[in-house]
Amino acid sequence: MSDSVVFNRRDFLKLVGIGVAGAAAGCAKPPAEKLIPYLNAPEDILPGVAYFYSSTCRECPVGCGIVVKTREARAIKIEGNPEHPIGMGGLCARGQAGLQGLYDPDRVKSPMMKQGNAWKAVTWDEAITTVTAKLAEAKGKVLLVTGNETGSFRSLAGEFVAGAGGQHVMYEPFAYESVRAANAKTFGIGSVPRYDIGAARCVVSFGADFLETFAAPTNQARGFAAMRTKHDDGAGHFVAVEPRLSLTGANADEWVAVRPGGEMALALGMAHVILAEGLGSGVDAGLVSAFTPEAVANSTDVPAETIQRLARMFAKHRPSLAIAGGIATQSAEGTALVAAVNLLNFVVGNIGATVKFDRPLSFDGVASFAQFKTHIDAMAAGDVGLMFVHGANPAYATPKWAGFAAAAAKVPFKVSFTGVLDETAELCDLILPSTHALESWGDAESAGGVHSLQQASMRPVTVFNARPVGDVLIALGKAAGFGAAWPDAYFDYLKARWQPLHARYGAGRDFETFWLDVVKKGGVWEDAATPAVRWTGAPAFAAPQYTGTGDFSLLIAPSSHLYDGRGANKPWLQETPDMTAKAVWGSWAEIHPETAAKLGVKNGDALEVATDAGKAQLPAYLYAGIRKDVVAVSLGQGHTAFGRYAKDRGVNALDFVAQATDAASGALAYQGSKARLAKGTKAMPLYLQQAEKDQHDREIAQVIPVAALLAGAVGVGHAAEGHAVEGAHGAAKFPGHYPAGFGVHEPAEAMTRPGKFTEPLARPDSFQTPAHAITAYESKEKARSPRQNPVDVGSYKHAKHRWAMSIDLNTCTGCAACVVACYAENNIPVVGPELIKKGREMAWIRIDRFEEKLAPGANDVRFVPMMCQHCGDAPCEMVCPVYATYHNPEGLNAQIYNRCVGTRYCSNNCPYKVRAFNWFDYAAPEKTTFAFPEPLNWQLNPDVTVRSKGVMEKCTMCIQRILDGKGHAKDEKRELTDGEFTTACAQSCPTQAITFGDLADPEAQVHLKSFGERRYWVFEDLHTKPGVTYLQKIQRDSMSEGHA
Amino acid sequence: MLNKLLDGLLNPPPPKFHGVMGIWYYVDDAADAVKMLREAGHKNLNVFSPVPHHEIEHALEQGPSLVRWVTAVGGFLGATGGFALCYYSISSWPLVIGGKELFSLPPFTVIGYESMILIAGLSNLLGMLALARLPQLKQVAPYDPRFQEDRIGIWVPCDAATAARLESMMKGHGAEEVQVHA
Amino acid sequence: MKKTFAIVLVLVTLVAASVAFTQSFGVQMGDKKGPTQPIAYSHETHAGKLQMDCRYCHYGASKSAWVNIPAVSTCMGCHKIALTDKPEIIKLTAYYDRGEPIPWVKVHYLPDHVKFNHKRHVLAEIACQTCHGPVQEMAVVYQYSSLKMGWCVSCHRDNLDNPKFPATMDCLACHH
Amino acid sequence: MSTTVKNLAMDGVNDVADRPLDQKTLNSDVMSMISLPGKVWWTIFILDLVVLGVALALVRNLIVHGWGVSGFMRPVMWAVDITNFVFWVGIAHCGTLVSAVLFLFRSHFRRAVYRLAEAMTVFGVLTAAMFPAIHTGRPWFDYWLFPYPNQRQLWTNVRSPLEWDVFAVNTYLTVSSIFFLVGLIPDVAACRDRAKHPIMKLLYTVISFGWTGANYQWKHFYGAYLFFAALATPLVFSVHSVVSWDFAMAQTPGWHSTLFAPYFVAGAIFSGVGMVIFLLVIVRKAYNMQHIVTIDHMEKLAKLVLLTSCMVGYSYLTEFFMAWYGPNKAERDVFWFRATGHYWWAFWIMFSCNVVFPMLLWMKSFRRNMTALLVLSIFVNIGMWFERFVIIVTSLTRSLNPANWFYYKISITECALIAGSFAWFFMFFLIFLRVLPSFSIAEIKETLPMPKRRGH
């Protein structure tokens, strides 16, 4: 194959000085290549061997534990650290994409000084001396702005501003002020609690996007999965109370389309019912006497009986959990809302059971918007002489009326430590590029008692002349003469800071061993004591306030991929579709189809959104999952700087936010602005990655009604003859190519025990090897005969495994972490919006969103992770004229790029349409379609060929990982054990919905799941015998107080 | 220059012939003449005509062409070749595709069938060229362009002695014109 | 005239065909000359005369998919003291002192879409010489085998039923 | 146009008007076409080359930058490329049918038209064969599709319908070309004898293999010709069946149908005869060949069109019936989409051109009206091109998984491919008209009364 070598290995070989057989371009002999060996051979690093370093993710304020995979001393993949209590091995899309922040081609190459409007490169020494001088001038008027810092850096910053005379302020666009304020008010604990969703038996979310951005999404997703698998006695019910069905809400059984701002009244109404009916107690009923269901019904558009039903369900299925946070609480009455929900939780005794303060997220000390505003005012007033910015982008992440830009202009000298030229850096006078988190040491207290260490997993990328910001601060301090006490390197400062922790958790180890253990493990964590929680009174519950005029309420949600906009410079995140609209690379306004009809707007037409704060035009996305009087825009786009991938895409939703804050907490009121809509004039493209969201009865995403599931053997039994289980549409259809009654097991006691279905099912006595499993059990002569077993002949005689996958639709939340993981693992090119819109996406795994029912009430949105199904009887294989795709002895559907001629017949014959074709040369640096501009190509996985123009590609079930795992087993002369390696998607899945393994091993998890209940095969009637088995989503009857 | 060269190539000096060439217009006369000449012992005569005439063929007592056998053999070889290719290509590196049988007749038949036609066609061509002595590089008899239009020529190679007698015989059988090459 | 022409034509075609055919089978017609290296390092001396184990320097061979080219420090391990007066060693020491790696010239070529795993083959007790040829006799190392696919496959084919180390003919083993 | 011709190749041949034929004038009349072309011909030819040049430029673009320059995407990974391929293979089929099948049936009207039809066949296959070649993602590796011993020890997948195509199409190209050339031998010999210009003479001398018309030559000529016909006949049917299996063997709804082989063969003959009529109407008029290709001949062809049109129409209806009657929802959706969906216009163009308009041929007056036939034949070919477009594009657009339903939009590249394919075809055809006898002298002669002294 004449594929050009994108990642020119020699480049990084120079970096780490390793010599290996370099890559030759195609079969022609290239001009003599130089091999650059080590100067001094390090003992630990061998070329061609992967090394893993545990560290801490810094892509959002939470700080999950991660493991960084490095090859030849380059970080090439980020995975969740299974030992870490927050991430628990899962990692969200944003965390995975951290890698692209590291290799961002637009990173600042060296310190830069602003001259007029141009940037001029300066040396570090010049820069340091300049700043030192400024420090002297601005004595006492120094302002250090950072993002949420919870570890040693926070104290260093503190000491720094103390020395320099000034203040350190931490700004986060989503600091959950109202949650903290409300908890302080109601419980006397001013922090963000841990929501133990796994412990709850039913959940009501009051506009909390807890699966996307709120608090610790990966952690909550894991708990959510556990909660959702419960279905005995009506458990596992999830109700979303929000005006617009978010991705989190899409997972709900019921959508309560409350009037914007009505969430609080609804919570209190539920509390009223509970107290009135004596289902709960603990607070004075007088608090909520005003909120009778009828009264609430008027103010929320939610029928009284619904309120009563929800209240009863909530009280009945204890421990239950009501979550207020994220979207809904970012409003003028956010604090009151959280307080109301706290009250609701308190009366049914959820506090301490599902709402826990043992490991509160560390947001303490993060400035509220109001506090930050005072700093802005100070700047405007000229009270700031010197400003440092690190890890925050206020110029973008504050509304225009906050006047940050203007205020910054008043500051004589501004220094930015940013890695990329973002909006704030553009305002600064000096850029001191800081190394990326993956290149630098640090630590964080992710949550109470969870001390995570951030290990530098590689030497700083040589292309950029950057320094760890800690080192720079220390250097500055020393130069300015107040940092004498500090060690020279931030690393030593950090290490010193861990001494007290050693004292506490050392357990007799001397510091060095303790330190090594910490570095290996990624930190230390204790089970912090659970504080006693009392009810300390509620704030006043006032009616919602709206600012501005207009017939519509504007709803602004943080993007699940770009968060507050800090992900916008990462092509993976831009290319991964937003799971609500399935749109990419831009922003859009979601409105209800009927509203659109009134306005005469069609899908993708321009729509003008106007608030008192500002107006802009966006493409409209017609979404039935939103109230008719609401328009929703998500944050994250509309950057005016921040690199080629972020700049000039879409609209910054903050421009719409009217001037209002939550008095009680000082939070910025993202919600509550009134908006006016009109048909737009200029056409703006809406890049949809999936246009059709109706599955046309193709039964791709199937559900099984709880009733049928509880009916258990009966249902499965006659389903085995191929009948549909009675029940809702798209209910279980059981495959014909498995014997009747196959996989049936005793349901009796299984149904009564919660969590049963998170555990492997017992292998039934009626077990028979599935037709398409590699038959390790079958007798030789039988196995040899093609007629008997088509997948074990000729060169296949040593076949032992049948790699397969099982995907549980019940726990898949559509977060798309797997998609990004796959991009990272398999060198998949990013092709950009135009091609995506054309239907030329290259993703190997995508998540299809099917909207069965999208209206207030019972809710049915289904997410199907769709990748190559590795069919036993693959339609694609038989049509390839050159054997470029064929069936491998271990049951994989192989795709050999270098044999592929590109007839594209395989894709035409693929029922699942999961094969991606290289329409252009994404791998050729000289072409405009080049997808890996230096140094993005450093991230490429050396174990995976970078595909060239004109070849077909698709999911390989991470064959490189399989071979690697088998290699290890061979080295240790042992058999493979189940789960010792897995695919990138399965590894990253926060809810563990994806299981990978050997189907031929009757004890393997994947086997038990694939032949347990709820299993089905997509397009099973085509008899493709897929290697990917789906487990039906459990469909609950949401209209009966959660009863099944 | 080029033209001269071509002329040299295309119009070589006519070779020397020994025999009699009679030219007929009427088909039945020509047929009779052929019969007569053959009875007179001139079995090695050649007939030239713009289209084949049954009368003349009959008079010449021609049997069916042998081409058919060549074609048959070609077809047989082609078919076996096709099937052999299928069998060998799969057995040399057995790759399972779509869970299908490695060796199955239906696909092989398609390949075998097409190869049969191909080889049969080629051998049919070669057979014809060989038997009809094409391409004919040197003339066997004095040639006349009218043979491609509407005249029929009968060529009897003979020595000068018999030439005179043949001429009269031909004239007697309605030959428009008789050329004697001696 | 015509005859001779025809004969010549036939002969030419035959020759052309046979050349193409043999070429297509990757038969070695190649030169036995390797590139000139920045330092005239002789495997003949080290692996041949001195009987050094290949893996003394190329220790990665049995541990990793890729083999390492020895670091300058590895060379200096001996040559700090051994033959320090020899011109080539002086060159070597110069590199070492300059803290500069030696730009060895690549000898063996594999396209990027072939994922050859040294470790697996070395652990399968295949002598280095099987593929790299009699390195211990090479003053200048050259590419001994064609390293073309057919060459790999023939060996794998022969060892399909190897009781100890069965080879595979699964394309995915090398192409992924 | 041939009135203004300064005649080079022939001597004493002037413009021919309608007049009774005899053996000698037949030669002259047919060969009168072989002459230095006039202005009209040259204009057409130059225009043709210009179009072809532009098309080739875009094809080069295609190969350099990849198929991304086209409008293709998932799920529609085939569209105009394969549409053209099937269309031209279809066109090609009629020639062999007319010459071979009708030869076996001893139906004499073929003699007048088969030479032109065969020429069309050969050029049609030449055009068609280009598309599988350039439609691949990496055309420079196309030779991998042929089974040949190579150092990788790899072979082709003989179980793939696409591989059957490779065998079928190449066999068809070879056999039909041979058939064409062999049939030419006697006529070219006649040309040779009249040719004056040395280059022409050389050409004819080579092609005619030194044919003299000797009895032993005629004997084996017809012996072989019979077998060519006998071989070509099953070949015609097999080749287009194989082409149809490219679709039928896949399980894409709208493709996966046992009906396809006969349906495609009928369609092929339909479009082929349509093209023959198109060419004949023009040629016989432009070169005054009405006395050689008579109205009766044309009418017989028209009847063939009518017959195949009915077969095609029947197939359409059957397809829809099966979709409606069968259990497969996806299939039903596809066919409903075809008639009413995004590409409804394509479907209705196809249906009206292939089924509705040809019904006019039931009228004898229509069949014998050359202008009418000309127009109809154009419609037929448009319709048949859209038939393949509809089959390929609509089926793929409505693939099984709705999650990636995207609509295919044709791009300038594909337009160039379409225009280019016609330019390529007519380039060959125009040259053929002026260089080789477009009507079989020998065979037509056989139909003339033979001069006999003893009356008839």
Side-chain angles (χ1 to χ4, degrees), chain C residues 21 24-25 148-150 154 157, chain D residues 148-155:
Chain C
F21 193 72
S24 73
F25 274 92
K148 285 189 173 181
M149 180 171 163
S154 337
R157 210 183 270 283
Chain D
Y148 70 101
N150 55 60
Q151 60 90 4
R152 301 178 211 86
Q153 307 183 19
L154 293 174
W155 293 90

Side-chain angles (χ1 to χ4, degrees), chain A residues 840 879 900 903-905 949, chain D residues 64 70 72 77-78 160 246:
Chain A
R840 291 177 178 177
V879 299
C900 178
T903 67
R904 305 188 296 285
Y905 197 173
K949 170 182 67 188
Chain D
V64 172
S70 77
F72 292 17
M77 293 233 175
W78 286 351
S160 157
D246 283 347

Side-chain angles (χ1 to χ4, degrees), chain A residues 78-162:
Chain A
I78 305 179
E79 299 183 347
N81 177 357
E83 291 199 46
H84 197 276
I86 303 294
M88 300 194 226
L91 189 61
C92 68
R94 281 172 278 143
Q96 307 262 0
L99 216 46
Q100 294 199 307
L102 169 64
Y103 296 126
D104 184 349
D106 298 321
R107 264 180 72 179
V108 180
K109 296 241 175 349
S110 76
M112 297 194 299
M113 182 88 75
K114 188 175 257 166
Q115 289 185 336
N117 292 334
W119 290 102
K120 164 172 162 297
V122 294
T123 66
W124 273 100
D125 299 346
E126 290 169 8
I128 299 276
T129 38
T130 333
V131 180
T132 323
K134 298 290 178 189
L135 270 172
E137 292 171 22
K139 190 78 181 153
K141 290 165 67 181
V142 174
L143 179 65
L144 171 57
V145 184
T146 67
N148 185 12
E149 291 287 351
T150 55
S152 310
F153 185 80
R154 187 168 173 177
S155 63
L156 178 69
E159 294 167 31
F160 180 83
V161 289

Side-chain angles (χ1 to χ4, degrees), chain A residues 569-706:
Chain A
N569 66 334
K570 307 190 175 61
W572 288 341
L573 295 180
Q574 289 276 18
E575 188 123 328
T576 310
D578 171 274
M579 289 312 294
T580 301
K582 290 309 289 290
V584 296
W585 287 98
S587 52
W588 55 91
E590 295 168 9
I591 52 172
H592 193 277
E594 290 180 22
T595 319
K598 281 205 197 70
L599 294 162
V601 173
K602 290 193 305 304
N603 213 13
D605 287 1
L607 181 73
E608 183 173 274
V609 182
T611 66
D612 288 4
K615 64 179 188 177
Q617 295 202 1
L618 301 89
Y621 173 68
L622 275 49
Y623 181 40
I626 189 169
R627 281 175 59 100
K628 298 187 181 61
D629 58 358
V630 175
V631 53
V633 181
S634 51
L635 281 169
Q637 297 284 20
H639 282 273
T640 56
F642 206 36
R644 68 188 75 169
Y645 297 109
K647 200 165 182 296
D648 305 329
R649 286 187 198 285
V651 171
N652 183 356
L654 271 160
D655 300 349
F656 296 121
V657 176
Q659 189 153 3
T661 53
D662 177 1
S665 66
L668 171 62
Y670 287 85
Q671 321 305 352
S673 318
K674 280 293 181 188
R676 301 173 293 280
L677 297 185
K679 200 174 194 312
T681 49
K682 62 173 184 283
M684 303 181 81
L686 173 64
Y687 302 107
L688 286 180
Q689 173 262 359
Q690 179 189 349
E692 181 63 52
K693 298 194 176 68
D694 172 2
Q695 59 175 330
H696 293 262
D697 311 341
R698 305 287 169 93
E699 292 179 0
I700 295 162
Q702 296 185 8
V703 294
I704 181 166
V706 172

Side-chain angles (χ1 to χ4, degrees), chain D residues 80 83 343 345-346 385-394 408:
Chain D
V80 169
T83 305
Y343 300 107
W345 46 273
W385 190 88
F386 273 102
E387 177 192 300
R388 280 61 175 252
F389 181 84
V390 166
I391 290 174
I392 294 172
V393 173
T394 60
Y408 163 72

Side-chain angles (χ1 to χ4, degrees), chain A residues 17-363:
Chain A
I18 301 180
V20 292
C27 304
K29 285 197 177 189
E33 287 184 52
K34 296 275 179 286
L35 302 185
I36 312 297
Y38 284 113
L39 184 61
N40 292 292
E43 290 63 32
D44 57 341
I45 294 183
L46 263 178
V49 181
Y51 297 92
F52 295 81
Y53 301 98
S54 42
S55 184
T56 303
C57 177
R58 299 307 304 275
E59 295 304 311
C60 82
V62 176
C64 301
I66 55 171
V67 174
V68 183
K69 179 185 183 187
T70 66
R71 273 288 295 271
E72 290 76 56
R74 291 178 297 137
I76 61 165
K77 178 106 172 40
I78 305 179
E79 299 183 347
N81 177 357
E83 291 199 46
H84 197 276
I86 303 294
M88 300 194 226
L91 189 61
C92 68
R94 281 172 278 143
Q96 307 262 0
L99 216 46
Q100 294 199 307
L102 169 64
Y103 296 126
D104 184 349
D106 298 321
R107 264 180 72 179
V108 180
K109 296 241 175 349
S110 76
M112 297 194 299
M113 182 88 75
K114 188 175 257 166
Q115 289 185 336
N117 292 334
W119 290 102
K120 164 172 162 297
V122 294
T123 66
W124 273 100
D125 299 346
E126 290 169 8
I128 299 276
T129 38
T130 333
V131 180
T132 323
K134 298 290 178 189
L135 270 172
E137 292 171 22
K139 190 78 181 153
K141 290 165 67 181
V142 174
L143 179 65
L144 171 57
V145 184
T146 67
N148 185 12
E149 291 287 351
T150 55
S152 310
F153 185 80
R154 187 168 173 177
S155 63
L156 178 69
E159 294 167 31
F160 180 83
V161 289
Q167 287 166 298
H168 169 215
V169 55
M170 297 189 290
Y171 177 67
E172 283 289 341
F174 296 100
Y176 311 129
E177 301 94 332
S178 40
V179 179
R180 288 187 281 151
N183 290 343
K185 180 84 178 126
T186 52
F187 304 131
I189 307 170
S191 54
V192 182
R194 174 162 72 97
Y195 299 99
D196 191 347
I197 302 173
R201 301 194 64 230
C202 84
V203 174
V204 179
S205 150
F206 289 87
D209 55 338
F210 62 86
L211 293 176
E212 293 155 84
T213 63
F214 177 59
T218 40
N219 182 295
Q220 284 143 205
R222 177 68 60 90
F224 181 73
M227 195 275 289
R228 290 295 274 170
T229 31
K230 304 173 188 171
H231 59 274
D232 53 303
D233 187 26
H237 211 80
F238 172 36
V239 179
V241 179
E242 48 189 2
R244 168 231 177 211
L245 205 59
S246 63
L247 171 57
T248 309
N251 286 283
D253 302 303
E254 180 176 358
W255 172 34
V256 179
V258 67
R259 187 185 299 167
E263 293 92 347
M264 177 194 74
L266 188 67
L268 293 170
M270 285 171 66
H272 178 93
V273 175
I274 291 170
L275 291 170
E277 299 184 0
L279 297 168
S281 63
V283 296
D284 163 24
L287 260 177
V288 294
S289 50
F291 296 88
T292 61
E294 295 67 25
V296 172
N298 293 335
S299 61
T300 58
D301 303 347
V302 180
E305 48 277 13
T306 310
I307 299 171
Q308 284 152 346
R309 179 166 51 78
L310 290 177
R312 294 184 190 121
M313 180 194 83
F314 190 72
K316 178 168 178 295
H317 296 287
R318 299 184 188 181
S320 51
L321 173 59
I323 308 179
I327 300 170
T329 59
Q330 303 283 345
S331 66
E333 51 284 329
T335 314
L337 166 59
V338 179
V341 170
N342 283 350
L343 187 147
L344 183 60
N345 277 322
F346 188 76
V347 291
V348 295
N350 293 340
I351 306 302
T354 55
V355 181
K356 297 180 176 168
F357 288 92
D358 55 353
R359 262 181 196 167
L361 288 183
S362 325
F363 277 89

